[in-house]
Amino acid sequence: MRKMGTFNIVTYGAVAGTISPSVGTANKKAIAAAIASAIAVKGTVYIPSGTYFINSLFNNLSGTFNIEGEGPQSEIYCVEATPTNSDRRIFSITNCIGGSFKDFKVSSNAVVGTSTRSNFAWGLGLISSSQCKVEGVYIAKTFAAGLMFQSCSSIEIIGNHVTQTCADSIHMTNGCTDMIVSDNTTFDCGDDSIAVVTYTNEPYCERILIHNNILDKSWARGITVVGGKKVVISNNIVTNTASSGILTAFESGEFNTKDVFDVTIVGNQVHRAGTYFPVIPTNGNHFGIEISSGTDIIATDNNVTSSNSRGITVADSKTKRVSINNNNVKYSGSTGIYAGSVKGLGLTGNTTTMNKAQGIALIATRDVIANNNYVQNNNFWDKDSEVTTLSAAISATVNTLKFASGVNFAIFSVSFAIVIDLEQMSVTAFNSTTGNATVIRGQNGTAAAPHAAGAIITSGPRTVSTDNVLIQNCTNIVFEGNQSLEDWSVALYPDTNIHNADKTPAIKNRVERAVEFTGNIRFRVLGNLIYCGSGTITSVYFGTPNTNTDGLRDDYKGTTVPNETAFRAGQTYYKTDTDVGYVYNGSVWRGVKYTL
């Protein structure tokens, strides 16, 4: 028996299991009557198990009430008789104080990537509401966002399941405050999985917790803060995004948002960011964690693996006071941790290994403290994929798509094929009727020109950097207590992530410099371990002009004695292949009879 103040939609005449215009109209009328009764007494609308078809919307509801069902089997399925793109909100509720929306499903007939998207076509939305809870709600196939919140406060969004939306799965905007977004799952959404957005003419969204969510296959970013304050993004699992896994930014032009302040990104797992290729390619970078704008941003204790491009990136001259601490970054398609044009950067306790460019690169950044980072065996790539060719012999009846290695990477449909190059991270679409081939997304996401049928498509050699750590054109840097190691004398790690897609063993690339300092002003280098284990590799390289250097007291190890003159008198160097030590006297290196 249900409690008093509960209004069963079946009692009001709703019928489950039948799809017809007359049933859609009748069900809409019955459900609207149940909602009106519930609003009158701040009661609960009850949806029994079953699929209830409606052909018009509940987009002008106002007042406090609750909705409760029996889980995803309690479904409201909406197909409009006369749809409009301007306003397709299935449930839109304003001025709800203390309402609860729990254990039911909202769906429609939208198809992500095919249906026309509308910004006002969400599944369940709250506007100017507070102290509400949305829990255990299932949203599927909406024409815009799944769950929408505008001008709300103190809302708990917990344990919901959102799939195949034409826009963001969960979206907060227009001054939402004190929001908790926790333990939700999203899958195959047509834009960002979870978004916090403040447009320039709106009050800030602030004091928002995004915690412990599982987000897979978003057509844009996993989690986005574009305009927001005091946002915590913690312990989420973000996988297979089309663009960056986690983004903080301000956006100009079409969206025109405010900037970002005081965001903490902590304890998240970000895997394969920028590697998901939906039917309609999306714009954006392909980084694991992207801090493209903001002030007072912290990224700590995150695990970032197998990003299409950089693992963690901090960029833009507007970005200030950023801390990147204790993160683990592996298998990135480019640099592990990158910072460019940032004002105020702390880089402490991070581990970067097996990334395909530098482990750490700091470019044109000022006021940097980099200490206790561990950077080993980066610039990792497969030499047998330096040039990847793709032969397209396409016809209506024969689809033969092979790489030079002879391995098929084709995903076929009736009229076209999508080919994914897992080593070069490119996507090519082939029309099997016309035989034409078009590269949708080239190497590392770059655009490429169409190719004729039967053409040999060559991605070209991979651009490879030569430094494990690169610090270039920076100002006011302290580089202390770090380890930059390059040692390929040991066997490759037994990890499938470092094998070719064709399962042949990966071939390493040499790191020519364990650390490079070039064009920097006012920097101190002390107490680091900088080591190269084999080959003709320079441990440290001081390019020109570096000015106002201080405290160059590191003990360096490697196989080639440096010939640069930027070292400090008394500095030592140990040549690992001959077991000979050297000391710098201010002008030349001299051998000494000791070992370090």
Side-chain angles (χ1 to χ4, degrees):
M1 178 179 294
R2 309 202 68 81
K3 62 184 180 181
M4 295 293 293
T6 298
F7 302 91
N8 190 325
I9 64 172
V10 172
T11 302
Y12 282 80
V15 176
T18 302
I19 298 178
S20 71
S22 60
V23 169
T25 300
N27 280 348
K28 165 64 186 300
K29 182 178 179 180
I31 296 169
I35 292 173
S37 297
I39 290 175
V41 297
K42 298 184 180 180
T44 299
V45 174
Y46 172 61
I47 305 173
S49 295
T51 299
Y52 299 88
F53 170 67
I54 60 174
N55 55 12
S56 58
L57 310 170
F58 302 97
N59 57 9
N60 291 300
L61 303 173
S62 181
T64 297
F65 71 105
N66 314 300
I67 300 178
E68 185 175 332
E70 299 294 339
Q73 62 269 30
S74 298
E75 180 179 7
I76 303 296
Y77 174 59
C78 178
V79 179
E80 295 172 80
T82 56
T84 62
N85 291 330
S86 61
D87 195 347
R88 306 174 76 172
R89 296 171 282 188
I90 299 175
F91 283 97
S92 182
I93 303 163
T94 62
N95 302 314
C96 183
I97 311 301
S100 172
F101 303 89
K102 182 178 180 181
D103 296 333
F104 63 96
K105 182 177 180 179
V106 177
S107 66
S108 73
N109 61 330
V111 179
V112 61
T114 301
S115 298
T116 300
R117 168 176 164 173
S118 168
N119 291 331
F120 301 96
W122 54 75
L124 172 64
L126 296 177
I127 303 171
S128 300
S129 298
S130 64
Q131 302 173 47
C132 296
K133 189 171 187 177
V134 180
E135 182 178 14
V137 174
Y138 290 73
I139 306 288
K141 298 183 177 181
T142 55
F143 284 88
L147 295 170
M148 170 66 76
F149 303 90
Q150 297 180 347
S151 305
C152 291
S153 65
S154 302
I155 305 291
E156 297 180 49
I157 308 160
I158 298 177
N160 302 286
H161 308 269
V162 186
T163 65
Q164 296 180 311
T165 56
C166 289
D168 300 342
S169 290
I170 301 173
H171 186 100
M172 292 160 281
T173 190
N174 200 5
C176 283
T177 60
D178 302 298
M179 310 283 284
I180 297 175
V181 185
S182 177
D183 298 283
N184 303 282
T185 61
T186 72
F187 176 78
D188 199 27
C189 69
D191 206 323
D192 302 330
S193 293
I194 299 175
V196 178
V197 182
T198 303
Y199 298 102
T200 54
N201 60 344
E202 297 177 350
Y204 261 105
C205 293
E206 56 184 313
R207 298 187 302 278
I208 295 173
L209 173 63
I210 302 171
H211 175 74
N212 207 39
N213 302 283
I214 299 175
L215 316 173
D216 186 36
K217 290 187 177 179
S218 67
W219 288 38
R221 289 73 59 111
I223 299 172
T224 295
V225 181
V226 283
K229 293 181 179 180
K230 296 180 174 61
V231 179
V232 175
I233 302 168
S234 63
N235 294 89
N236 302 282
I237 299 174
V238 181
T239 57
N240 301 310
T241 57
S243 298
S244 295
I246 298 174
L247 169 70
T248 72
F250 88 95
E251 296 183 334
S252 57
E254 178 185 359
F255 298 104
N256 202 18
T257 70
K258 292 183 175 180
D259 211 335
V260 176
F261 297 89
D262 192 5
V263 175
T264 299
I265 304 166
V266 56
N268 300 282
Q269 307 289 322
V270 182
H271 183 57
R272 292 186 61 81
T275 65
Y276 179 51
F277 300 106
V279 175
I280 301 176
T282 54
N283 296 323
N285 295 312
H286 309 106
F287 308 142
I289 297 175
E290 179 181 0
I291 303 168
S292 72
S293 184
T295 300
D296 297 324
I297 312 296
I298 298 172
T300 183
D301 296 297
N302 301 285
N303 188 26
V304 182
T305 60
S306 302
S307 302
N308 187 342
S309 185
R310 300 168 188 158
I312 297 176
T313 188
V314 188
D316 197 275
S317 59
K318 300 182 182 66
T319 305
K320 297 180 291 186
R321 299 196 299 271
V322 177
S323 296
I324 308 294
N325 304 324
N326 302 319
N327 300 283
N328 184 26
V329 183
K330 288 185 177 182
Y331 312 129
S332 303
S334 183
T335 304
I337 298 176
Y338 173 92
S341 302
V342 179
K343 297 177 182 177
L345 175 67
L347 198 67
T348 302
N350 301 283
T351 298
T352 66
T353 59
M354 309 300 288
N355 299 289
K356 291 187 178 180
Q358 301 100 338
I360 294 175
L362 309 179
I363 310 295
T365 291
R366 61 178 300 123
D367 304 329
V368 179
I369 297 177
N371 60 350
N372 298 319
N373 298 287
Y374 182 83
V375 187
Q376 182 176 22
N377 291 358
N378 294 284
N379 291 301
F380 180 87
W381 58 296
D382 293 330
K383 285 191 174 181
D384 63 4
S385 68
E386 180 175 358
V387 177
T388 299
T389 59
L390 180 64
S391 177
I394 310 297
S395 69
T397 56
V398 179
N399 292 305
T400 304
L401 306 172
K402 291 181 179 293
F403 289 103
S405 61
V407 178
N408 283 310
F409 287 86
I411 303 172
F412 296 103
S413 71
V414 174
S415 61
F416 66 92
I418 300 293
V419 179
I420 302 176
D421 178 346
L422 296 180
E423 293 179 1
Q424 295 287 353
M425 283 303 177
S426 65
V427 178
T428 306
F430 293 90
N431 187 310
S432 61
T433 301
T434 64
N436 292 325
T438 302
V439 176
I440 298 174
R441 185 174 290 167
Q443 181 179 346
N444 291 329
T446 58
H451 297 272
I456 300 298
I457 300 172
T458 302
S459 298
R462 190 187 302 279
T463 300
V464 181
S465 63
T466 58
D467 305 309
N468 209 27
V469 175
L470 172 62
I471 302 177
Q472 179 176 327
N473 297 333
C474 295
T475 304
N476 301 338
I477 314 107
V478 175
F479 189 79
E480 179 179 5
N482 302 283
Q483 297 185 55
S484 182
L485 311 176
E486 195 277 344
D487 187 1
W488 292 108
S489 60
V490 298
L492 292 177
Y493 305 145
D495 191 321
T496 57
N497 283 296
I498 59 173
H499 284 70
N500 298 332
D502 59 8
K503 304 304 181 184
T504 61
I507 305 300
K508 63 185 179 295
N509 179 47
R510 292 194 182 283
V511 177
E512 299 302 326
R513 299 159 187 152
V515 180
E516 176 181 342
F517 301 94
T518 297
N520 302 289
I521 301 173
R522 293 188 298 276
F523 71 101
R524 300 182 65 211
V525 183
L526 63 158
N528 303 283
L529 172 59
I530 300 175
Y531 173 71
C532 295
S534 61
T536 56
I537 302 167
T538 300
S539 288
V540 66
Y541 171 79
F542 288 90
T544 57
N546 288 298
T547 60
N548 296 332
T549 62
D550 179 43
L552 299 175
R553 302 182 189 78
D554 296 337
D555 291 331
Y556 295 106
K557 299 180 180 181
T559 58
T560 303
V561 176
N563 57 11
E564 288 76 31
T565 59
F567 291 83
R568 190 183 185 96
Q571 194 163 357
T572 59
Y573 193 92
Y574 177 57
K575 202 165 185 294
T576 56
D577 56 345
T578 59
D579 292 330
V580 175
Y582 292 80
V583 64
Y584 190 63
N585 69 2
S587 59
V588 296
W589 292 92
R590 295 193 180 280
V592 293
K593 294 181 179 181
Y594 72 93
T595 59
L596 298 177

